[in-house]
Amino acid sequence: MKSIVKLLLLALTVIALMSTGYWWGSSQSQKFAYGDTVQTKKTKKILYYRNPMGLPDTSPVPKKDSMGMDYLPVYDSDESLSDQSVVTISTEKVQKLGVRSEAAILRELIRTVRAVATVQIDERKQYTVVTKFEGWIHRLYVNTTGQTVKKGDALMDVYSPELITAQQEYLIAVRGLQSVADSDPDVRAAMQRLIAGALQKLRNWDIAEAELRRLQQTGEVQQYMTLRAKVDGVVLEKQAVMGQRFMPGEMLYQIADLSSVWMLADVFEQDLGLIHPGQLATVRIDAYPDKVFNGEVAFIYPAVTPETRTAIVRIILANPDGLLKPAMYAHVEFASIHSKDKVLTVPDSAVLDTGTRRVVLIDLGAGRFEPRTVKLGMHADGYAEVLGGLRAGEAVVVKANFLIDAESNFKNALSGFGQNHQETMTSEQPASASRMIHRGEGTIKAIDLAHATVTLAHGSIESLQWPAMTMDFRFLEPALLQSFKPGQQISFEMAEESAGEFVLVRMEAAGGAHNHRRH
């Protein structure tokens, strides 16, 4: 009997413990489940801190911007991608498309500016042979175009009554000085002045010193006097003909020194900021494909040609062998380093330009690709500088990205950022429905219709903790910008698109004159 009683008591105890344990376990299970949730939130990992104004600037540690605003933390859960923004393609199809990815890395951008050019004569080394007296050409020593002359070489013998008269005046003055050799010093000084004046008259008519020395040595009037070259060069134009009569100021020869020449390059205006005086240039001439000429930028002309939107850049080239001839055609390359520091870059082939934004496809692996808007800077030698929207090391598609675009209906994916497929198809909800909307008021300072941007001087925006400031925003409906004008007071709504970039999704004039919302 006692054994039976003990067994009954033991059974009741087990039942009581099981009942108590059940509720205790349930309570503990709920407690632990809740505790796990709290712990997950507590251990939520901060990846980095982003600029509160949406600028393409991040920091691994907390910091403040130039206006004293705290950088905002970005958690690992914030980086998770929604199904709507990810394009998925089967692995087999990825292999068939030949998809190739490349990591975004830091590199030194060297931009090569290319231009066409022509060889021109150095304007400072041209010389025109003219006379300052009337006469006739008796004999030509340089009688062909293209002939090379040296300074002091005889060009022609000329006959001129004015030259004969000037020689006679000199000789008379010399004889007069001899006749007054024993006279008063003032008289001798006057005769010496007459001699010097007669010689100076011949010098003013560009008679060479060699001809004057011959006159002084022989003491005889030369019927024909020789005109000589004043510079080294090549005869580019010859008007002189034997027996020809010439008048004062008439051109007889055109001579140019081609030991150095100008290369005039037509550089497009968008590349002018990369060109500066003293910059080295590499020149290739069509006539000499195996030769490379090196020159230096000497001058950038101050005007742009309206028809071609180019400006002329002058390059000076040495031409000791005379290979470079005026009007020759050439190709010029200017190497320009964008920055002393390395910048984040992606290949040009990775960028899809939709017209209003630039997008790259992030390769997430396993056939998953994320379209992401990026801000681009300078392009150089097949690479583009990334100013925002991408971090170093992220892989971007560089081959077959356009095929992925077509295969996955990528355009719909772009237009549906932040939306599900049903919203995209019905178009009943605004594009910002799944994004947080921030509202504000301000004044339009400027409108850029070409780039669909608006410069706003807005008041403080409490939802973003932004103070009043002036900023540029892109409007999602470019066609509607024509109904607004600078100086207009507006209220607006904006949303964060990607990479901290804020865009206007609605604009309304003060008083409700305009109400434009993107659908």
Side-chain angles (χ1 to χ4, degrees), residues 64-233:
K64 295 180 181 294
D65 65 3
S66 58
M67 295 180 292
M69 300 172 63
D70 293 324
Y71 273 48
L72 303 177
V74 177
Y75 298 95
D76 51 0
S77 60
D78 297 335
E79 292 289 296
S80 62
L81 301 171
S82 64
D83 294 338
Q84 291 83 4
S85 63
V86 177
V87 176
T88 303
I89 301 177
S90 66
T91 305
E92 179 183 359
K93 196 162 291 186
V94 168
Q95 294 176 349
K96 289 182 178 180
L97 292 175
V99 177
R100 184 170 63 86
S101 301
E102 184 176 321
I105 62 174
L106 297 174
R107 71 174 69 243
E108 186 182 69
L109 279 185
I110 301 178
R111 172 78 176 272
T112 300
V113 178
R114 296 176 175 85
V116 295
T118 55
V119 178
Q120 300 293 336
I121 301 169
D122 189 335
E123 295 175 357
R124 300 166 298 183
K125 296 184 177 182
Q126 295 186 74
Y127 176 68
T128 301
V129 177
V130 297
T131 62
K132 301 174 182 177
F133 51 86
E134 180 184 355
W136 287 260
I137 299 175
H138 173 68
R139 181 180 179 184
L140 285 177
Y141 296 100
V142 176
N143 53 13
T144 60
T145 302
Q147 187 172 341
T148 301
V149 298
K150 298 291 185 181
K151 184 177 180 179
D153 286 355
L155 297 176
M156 67 181 76
D157 289 341
V158 298
Y159 166 78
S160 172
E162 294 178 86
L163 289 181
I164 293 177
T165 301
Q167 294 178 78
Q168 291 174 343
E169 291 175 356
Y170 167 75
L171 294 176
I172 292 172
V174 171
R175 296 189 190 101
L177 178 61
Q178 294 173 352
S179 64
V180 297
D182 299 328
S183 300
D184 187 84
D186 293 337
V187 176
R188 292 198 303 271
M191 296 305 297
Q192 288 175 346
R193 287 195 294 270
L194 288 176
I195 293 173
L199 288 176
Q200 187 60 44
K201 185 177 183 179
L202 291 171
R203 290 191 183 98
N204 292 340
W205 283 343
D206 297 329
I207 302 302
E209 290 294 330
E211 301 302 313
L212 298 181
R213 284 195 299 270
R214 186 174 65 171
L215 175 63
Q216 291 171 323
Q217 293 170 359
T218 62
E220 296 179 356
V221 174
Q222 303 295 322
Q223 184 177 4
Y224 304 107
M225 296 203 75
T226 303
L227 299 185
R228 299 181 180 274
K230 289 190 171 184
V231 294
D232 298 341

Side-chain angles (χ1 to χ4, degrees), residues 352-456:
L352 296 171
D353 196 335
T354 68
T356 58
R357 70 180 77 175
R358 265 59 64 189
V359 180
V360 296
L361 288 172
I362 308 297
D363 189 350
L364 304 175
R368 300 170 65 244
F369 303 92
E370 177 203 357
R372 187 182 299 174
T373 301
V374 292
K375 291 182 178 179
L376 301 182
M378 172 180 165
H379 292 258
D381 291 339
Y383 289 90
E385 178 188 9
V386 180
L387 300 177
L390 200 62
R391 295 193 300 273
E394 289 188 294
V396 297
V397 178
V398 297
K399 184 179 179 182
N401 45 3
F402 287 99
L403 294 176
I404 293 174
D405 179 5
E407 182 68 25
S408 61
N409 197 10
F410 179 49
K411 300 299 182 184
N412 285 341
L414 285 179
S415 63
F417 272 0
Q419 304 178 57
N420 58 33
H421 181 67
Q422 181 177 0
E423 289 173 334
T424 304
M425 295 300 293
T426 60
S427 299
E428 291 297 324
Q429 298 294 332
S432 58
S434 59
R435 295 177 289 189
M436 183 175 180
I437 298 299
H438 307 278
R439 297 175 175 82
E441 296 181 351
T443 303
I444 297 177
K445 293 297 184 181
I447 297 177
D448 185 350
L449 295 177
H451 299 88
T453 58
V454 180
T455 303
L456 284 181

